[in-house]
Amino acid sequence: MKQILYIDLDGVVADFELAMNTHPLRKNSPYNINPDMIPGIFRDLSPIENAIESVQKILQSEHYEVFFLSTAPWNNPSAWTDKRLWLEDHFGEIINRKLILTHRKDLLKGDILIDDRPNNGAENFDGTLIRFSSKEFPNWNAILIYLSL
């Protein structure tokens, strides 16, 4: 039986921090306070180093059923569509119906959650929380080793 594995998007697969710090609107109000409100910011994020190749390995594994799990800003509805389109651009049809958008990650049932922050319920996830960019899991290579891939 496959384990259910959730992968957060921003800060784990897609580099939101880079986009946030370099976007031309970042210095303008209200985006200087809420950069996740910048129109279209989630559509063209750069992938995090080795993220695409690593996630493809996990997607092809016989051991895991993979879902992408993300929080989208409530007041930026285009972000919801942009995240879905970003996933399709980078992973193709294999991710069809594999995106879950929620502000309560702790409500999901599963075995593993890969997330860079303990926010939005990640810290209360019932399964194993793998903290991406932590000392134990500094990069995708460390995660693949942990997952025996």
Side-chain angles (χ1 to χ4, degrees):
M1 186 166 161
K2 290 186 176 186
Q3 291 189 337
I4 296 175
L5 187 148
Y6 299 106
I7 302 173
D8 180 42
L9 284 180
D10 307 317
V12 176
V13 180
D15 198 340
F16 178 72
E17 187 173 338
L18 175 65
M20 173 184 69
N21 291 327
T22 60
H23 198 284
L25 291 177
R26 178 66 160 103
K27 296 177 181 165
N28 300 339
S29 183
Y31 311 124
N32 57 337
I33 296 169
N34 295 308
D36 59 352
M37 300 299 294
I38 295 173
I41 193 166
F42 292 98
R43 183 65 180 96
D44 296 315
L45 299 176
S46 297
I48 288 183
E49 185 178 353
N50 296 320
I52 303 302
E53 302 82 5
S54 298
V55 171
Q56 285 174 337
K57 281 185 181 181
I58 299 169
L59 286 166
Q60 295 168 5
S61 169
E62 298 175 357
H63 303 290
Y64 303 102
E65 183 173 359
V66 177
F67 294 91
F68 295 91
L69 183 59
S70 190
T71 300
W74 190 256
N75 293 323
N76 185 359
S78 71
W80 300 50
T81 301
D82 291 342
K83 287 175 182 256
R84 182 215 169 273
L85 293 172
W86 190 94
L87 278 170
E88 188 175 332
D89 286 348
H90 290 87
F91 296 105
E93 195 61 28
I94 195 169
I95 58 89
N96 189 4
R97 292 176 174 78
K98 296 281 187 179
L99 172 62
I100 300 169
L101 297 173
T102 182
H103 287 268
R104 291 287 311 274
K105 295 176 181 181
D106 56 316
L107 296 178
L108 291 150
K109 294 181 185 238
D111 300 293
I112 300 170
L113 168 59
I114 302 171
D115 207 320
D116 61 320
R117 302 180 314 151
N119 303 16
N120 300 311
E123 72 277 12
N124 296 319
F125 178 71
D126 277 343
T128 300
L129 173 61
I130 294 175
R131 290 283 307 275
F132 184 77
S133 291
S134 67
K135 187 176 180 179
E136 187 177 3
F137 300 103
N139 54 42
W140 273 103
N141 189 47
I143 291 173
L144 291 179
I145 290 169
Y146 176 82
L147 297 175
S148 300
L149 297 174

PDB file of all heavy atoms in Angstrom, residues 18-34:
ATOM      1  N   LEU A  18      12.578  34.231  -3.758  1.00  0.00           N
ATOM      2  CA  LEU A  18      13.301  34.924  -4.822  1.00  0.00           C
ATOM      3  C   LEU A  18      12.374  35.881  -5.566  1.00  0.00           C
ATOM      4  O   LEU A  18      12.712  37.047  -5.781  1.00  0.00           O
ATOM      5  CB  LEU A  18      13.909  33.911  -5.798  1.00  0.00           C
ATOM      6  CG  LEU A  18      14.585  34.502  -7.030  1.00  0.00           C
ATOM      7  CD1 LEU A  18      15.813  35.325  -6.645  1.00  0.00           C
ATOM      8  CD2 LEU A  18      14.963  33.397  -8.011  1.00  0.00           C
ATOM      9  N   ALA A  19      11.203  35.407  -5.937  1.00  0.00           N
ATOM     10  CA  ALA A  19      10.244  36.264  -6.655  1.00  0.00           C
ATOM     11  C   ALA A  19       9.812  37.446  -5.805  1.00  0.00           C
ATOM     12  O   ALA A  19       9.722  38.573  -6.287  1.00  0.00           O
ATOM     13  CB  ALA A  19       9.026  35.435  -7.075  1.00  0.00           C
ATOM     14  N   MET A  20       9.558  37.184  -4.544  1.00  0.00           N
ATOM     15  CA  MET A  20       9.121  38.230  -3.635  1.00  0.00           C
ATOM     16  C   MET A  20      10.183  39.319  -3.513  1.00  0.00           C
ATOM     17  O   MET A  20       9.873  40.508  -3.491  1.00  0.00           O
ATOM     18  CB  MET A  20       8.829  37.622  -2.259  1.00  0.00           C
ATOM     19  CG  MET A  20       8.533  38.617  -1.180  1.00  0.00           C
ATOM     20  SD  MET A  20       8.308  37.836   0.421  1.00  0.00           S
ATOM     21  CE  MET A  20       9.953  37.261   0.784  1.00  0.00           C
ATOM     22  N   ASN A  21      11.444  38.933  -3.438  1.00  0.00           N
ATOM     23  CA  ASN A  21      12.512  39.903  -3.237  1.00  0.00           C
ATOM     24  C   ASN A  21      12.936  40.633  -4.499  1.00  0.00           C
ATOM     25  O   ASN A  21      13.593  41.669  -4.416  1.00  0.00           O
ATOM     26  CB  ASN A  21      13.725  39.220  -2.604  1.00  0.00           C
ATOM     27  CG  ASN A  21      13.442  38.807  -1.181  1.00  0.00           C
ATOM     28  OD1 ASN A  21      12.698  39.454  -0.465  1.00  0.00           O
ATOM     29  ND2 ASN A  21      14.023  37.699  -0.763  1.00  0.00           N
ATOM     30  N   THR A  22      12.570  40.118  -5.672  1.00  0.00           N
ATOM     31  CA  THR A  22      13.025  40.732  -6.917  1.00  0.00           C
ATOM     32  C   THR A  22      11.902  41.337  -7.758  1.00  0.00           C
ATOM     33  O   THR A  22      12.193  42.014  -8.748  1.00  0.00           O
ATOM     34  CB  THR A  22      13.786  39.690  -7.775  1.00  0.00           C
ATOM     35  OG1 THR A  22      12.914  38.604  -8.078  1.00  0.00           O
ATOM     36  CG2 THR A  22      15.027  39.198  -7.060  1.00  0.00           C
ATOM     37  N   HIS A  23      10.667  41.114  -7.386  1.00  0.00           N
ATOM     38  CA  HIS A  23       9.546  41.624  -8.198  1.00  0.00           C
ATOM     39  C   HIS A  23       9.513  43.153  -8.154  1.00  0.00           C
ATOM     40  O   HIS A  23       9.645  43.756  -7.092  1.00  0.00           O
ATOM     41  CB  HIS A  23       8.221  41.048  -7.694  1.00  0.00           C
ATOM     42  CG  HIS A  23       7.129  41.161  -8.692  1.00  0.00           C
ATOM     43  ND1 HIS A  23       6.472  42.349  -8.956  1.00  0.00           N
ATOM     44  CD2 HIS A  23       6.593  40.240  -9.525  1.00  0.00           C
ATOM     45  CE1 HIS A  23       5.579  42.153  -9.894  1.00  0.00           C
ATOM     46  NE2 HIS A  23       5.624  40.882 -10.252  1.00  0.00           N
ATOM     47  N   PRO A  24       9.312  43.812  -9.306  1.00  0.00           N
ATOM     48  CA  PRO A  24       9.306  45.277  -9.359  1.00  0.00           C
ATOM     49  C   PRO A  24       8.217  45.935  -8.511  1.00  0.00           C
ATOM     50  O   PRO A  24       8.400  47.064  -8.044  1.00  0.00           O
ATOM     51  CB  PRO A  24       9.100  45.608 -10.832  1.00  0.00           C
ATOM     52  CG  PRO A  24       9.053  44.331 -11.573  1.00  0.00           C
ATOM     53  CD  PRO A  24       9.179  43.202 -10.617  1.00  0.00           C
ATOM     54  N   LEU A  25       7.107  45.262  -8.276  1.00  0.00           N
ATOM     55  CA  LEU A  25       6.037  45.851  -7.463  1.00  0.00           C
ATOM     56  C   LEU A  25       6.282  45.705  -5.960  1.00  0.00           C
ATOM     57  O   LEU A  25       5.551  46.279  -5.157  1.00  0.00           O
ATOM     58  CB  LEU A  25       4.684  45.203  -7.807  1.00  0.00           C
ATOM     59  CG  LEU A  25       4.120  45.505  -9.180  1.00  0.00           C
ATOM     60  CD1 LEU A  25       2.825  44.736  -9.409  1.00  0.00           C
ATOM     61  CD2 LEU A  25       3.901  47.000  -9.357  1.00  0.00           C
ATOM     62  N   ARG A  26       7.297  44.985  -5.579  1.00  0.00           N
ATOM     63  CA  ARG A  26       7.550  44.671  -4.164  1.00  0.00           C
ATOM     64  C   ARG A  26       7.713  45.922  -3.298  1.00  0.00           C
ATOM     65  O   ARG A  26       7.381  45.910  -2.127  1.00  0.00           O
ATOM     66  CB  ARG A  26       8.800  43.788  -4.060  1.00  0.00           C
ATOM     67  CG  ARG A  26       9.212  43.434  -2.654  1.00  0.00           C
ATOM     68  CD  ARG A  26       8.157  42.549  -1.997  1.00  0.00           C
ATOM     69  NE  ARG A  26       8.721  41.831  -0.882  1.00  0.00           N
ATOM     70  CZ  ARG A  26       8.528  42.148   0.392  1.00  0.00           C
ATOM     71  NH1 ARG A  26       7.782  43.169   0.709  1.00  0.00           N
ATOM     72  NH2 ARG A  26       9.074  41.452   1.344  1.00  0.00           N
ATOM     73  N   LYS A  27       8.201  46.995  -3.870  1.00  0.00           N
ATOM     74  CA  LYS A  27       8.438  48.225  -3.101  1.00  0.00           C
ATOM     75  C   LYS A  27       7.203  49.101  -2.993  1.00  0.00           C
ATOM     76  O   LYS A  27       7.186  50.072  -2.252  1.00  0.00           O
ATOM     77  CB  LYS A  27       9.591  49.005  -3.726  1.00  0.00           C
ATOM     78  CG  LYS A  27      10.900  48.244  -3.654  1.00  0.00           C
ATOM     79  CD  LYS A  27      12.019  48.980  -4.329  1.00  0.00           C
ATOM     80  CE  LYS A  27      13.276  48.119  -4.232  1.00  0.00           C
ATOM     81  NZ  LYS A  27      14.317  48.534  -5.108  1.00  0.00           N
ATOM     82  N   ASN A  28       6.161  48.772  -3.736  1.00  0.00           N
ATOM     83  CA  ASN A  28       4.938  49.580  -3.739  1.00  0.00           C
ATOM     84  C   ASN A  28       3.934  49.048  -2.727  1.00  0.00           C
ATOM     85  O   ASN A  28       3.832  47.846  -2.506  1.00  0.00           O
ATOM     86  CB  ASN A  28       4.288  49.567  -5.128  1.00  0.00           C
ATOM     87  CG  ASN A  28       5.204  50.114  -6.204  1.00  0.00           C
ATOM     88  OD1 ASN A  28       6.137  50.846  -5.922  1.00  0.00           O
ATOM     89  ND2 ASN A  28       4.942  49.748  -7.439  1.00  0.00           N
ATOM     90  N   SER A  29       3.181  49.972  -2.145  1.00  0.00           N
ATOM     91  CA  SER A  29       2.103  49.587  -1.238  1.00  0.00           C
ATOM     92  C   SER A  29       0.948  49.013  -2.045  1.00  0.00           C
ATOM     93  O   SER A  29       0.682  49.504  -3.146  1.00  0.00           O
ATOM     94  CB  SER A  29       1.649  50.827  -0.472  1.00  0.00           C
ATOM     95  OG  SER A  29       0.661  50.506   0.453  1.00  0.00           O
ATOM     96  N   PRO A  30       0.270  48.014  -1.606  1.00  0.00           N
ATOM     97  CA  PRO A  30       0.355  47.256  -0.362  1.00  0.00           C
ATOM     98  C   PRO A  30       1.296  46.059  -0.445  1.00  0.00           C
ATOM     99  O   PRO A  30       1.430  45.287   0.487  1.00  0.00           O
ATOM    100  CB  PRO A  30      -1.080  46.754  -0.178  1.00  0.00           C
ATOM    101  CG  PRO A  30      -1.535  46.468  -1.560  1.00  0.00           C
ATOM    102  CD  PRO A  30      -0.882  47.558  -2.410  1.00  0.00           C
ATOM    103  N   TYR A  31       1.986  45.907  -1.596  1.00  0.00           N
ATOM    104  CA  TYR A  31       2.815  44.726  -1.820  1.00  0.00           C
ATOM    105  C   TYR A  31       4.088  44.716  -0.979  1.00  0.00           C
ATOM    106  O   TYR A  31       4.668  43.659  -0.770  1.00  0.00           O
ATOM    107  CB  TYR A  31       3.159  44.596  -3.297  1.00  0.00           C
ATOM    108  CG  TYR A  31       1.943  44.729  -4.181  1.00  0.00           C
ATOM    109  CD1 TYR A  31       1.883  45.684  -5.184  1.00  0.00           C
ATOM    110  CD2 TYR A  31       0.839  43.913  -3.989  1.00  0.00           C
ATOM    111  CE1 TYR A  31       0.761  45.809  -5.988  1.00  0.00           C
ATOM    112  CE2 TYR A  31      -0.297  44.031  -4.778  1.00  0.00           C
ATOM    113  CZ  TYR A  31      -0.324  44.985  -5.776  1.00  0.00           C
ATOM    114  OH  TYR A  31      -1.435  45.107  -6.550  1.00  0.00           O
ATOM    115  N   ASN A  32       4.506  45.880  -0.493  1.00  0.00           N
ATOM    116  CA  ASN A  32       5.673  45.917   0.382  1.00  0.00           C
ATOM    117  C   ASN A  32       5.377  45.216   1.716  1.00  0.00           C
ATOM    118  O   ASN A  32       6.276  44.695   2.360  1.00  0.00           O
ATOM    119  CB  ASN A  32       6.151  47.352   0.605  1.00  0.00           C
ATOM    120  CG  ASN A  32       5.065  48.245   1.191  1.00  0.00           C
ATOM    121  OD1 ASN A  32       3.870  47.965   1.056  1.00  0.00           O
ATOM    122  ND2 ASN A  32       5.466  49.331   1.821  1.00  0.00           N
ATOM    123  N   ILE A  33       4.116  45.174   2.095  1.00  0.00           N
ATOM    124  CA  ILE A  33       3.709  44.487   3.328  1.00  0.00           C
ATOM    125  C   ILE A  33       3.200  43.078   3.027  1.00  0.00           C
ATOM    126  O   ILE A  33       3.460  42.139   3.761  1.00  0.00           O
ATOM    127  CB  ILE A  33       2.621  45.307   4.060  1.00  0.00           C
ATOM    128  CG1 ILE A  33       3.202  46.649   4.496  1.00  0.00           C
ATOM    129  CG2 ILE A  33       2.074  44.534   5.248  1.00  0.00           C
ATOM    130  CD1 ILE A  33       2.169  47.634   4.994  1.00  0.00           C
ATOM    131  N   ASN A  34       2.471  42.936   1.922  1.00  0.00           N
ATOM    132  CA  ASN A  34       1.880  41.644   1.533  1.00  0.00           C
ATOM    133  C   ASN A  34       2.336  41.254   0.124  1.00  0.00           C
ATOM    134  O   ASN A  34       1.552  41.360  -0.833  1.00  0.00           O
ATOM    135  CB  ASN A  34       0.350  41.718   1.580  1.00  0.00           C
ATOM    136  CG  ASN A  34      -0.158  41.933   2.976  1.00  0.00           C
ATOM    137  OD1 ASN A  34       0.204  41.209   3.883  1.00  0.00           O
ATOM    138  ND2 ASN A  34      -1.002  42.932   3.141  1.00  0.00           N
TER     139      ASN A  34
END
